[in-house]
Amino acid sequence: EVSAMPRPHPAYAPEFRRQMVELVRAGRDPADLAREFEPSAQAIRKWVAVADRQEGRREAKPAPAEAALTATKREELARLRRENKQLRQERDIPSRAAAWSARG
């Protein structure tokens, strides 16, 4: 029977993961390591990123876009939204005036 679900990858031993991380840090390309060993290049890159964060080499993943905005960017975004609202209102005035005068 052929399953529609892909087979799960085997769990890799922590020592194996550590060795892959060390090889990448020594200059090896994750894609080359993926061809030579079994895990995907994406998995190897993920292991390096996790190790970097655990060792303080890299900051944690950034927060969602809204939360990651600086105070200056939030102020600018609020200003642009107000400006956009005002421009939409100004754009609609002639059509409202025309509809009003047509009734009279």
Side-chain angles (χ1 to χ4, degrees):
E1 174 182 326
V2 177
S3 172
M5 297 285 295
R7 287 186 341 177
H9 295 287
Y12 295 100
E15 178 63 21
F16 177 79
R17 291 178 185 214
R18 189 183 61 73
Q19 289 174 346
M20 291 292 114
V21 169
E22 287 177 6
L23 287 170
V24 170
R25 288 179 178 167
R28 294 286 305 271
D29 181 44
D32 291 338
L33 291 171
R35 282 189 286 275
E36 191 173 335
F37 301 98
E38 194 172 313
S40 68
Q42 180 180 358
I44 295 170
R45 284 188 203 96
K46 179 180 172 186
W47 298 341
V48 172
V50 169
D52 285 353
R53 282 192 296 276
Q54 288 173 344
E55 296 169 17
R57 293 174 180 241
R58 184 185 302 199
E59 291 182 22
K61 284 188 177 182
E66 282 287 325
L69 291 176
T70 63
T72 305
K73 292 291 183 186
R74 279 193 296 274
E75 290 170 10
E76 181 183 16
L77 182 59
R79 180 186 60 77
L80 290 170
R81 285 178 174 162
R82 284 191 305 271
E83 185 178 316
N84 192 21
K85 180 179 178 182
Q86 182 172 350
L87 290 170
R88 272 188 267 122
Q89 289 172 342
E90 290 173 2
R91 177 198 66 198
D92 293 342
I93 288 173
S95 61
R96 288 182 184 160
W100 185 77
S101 64
R103 281 190 269 163

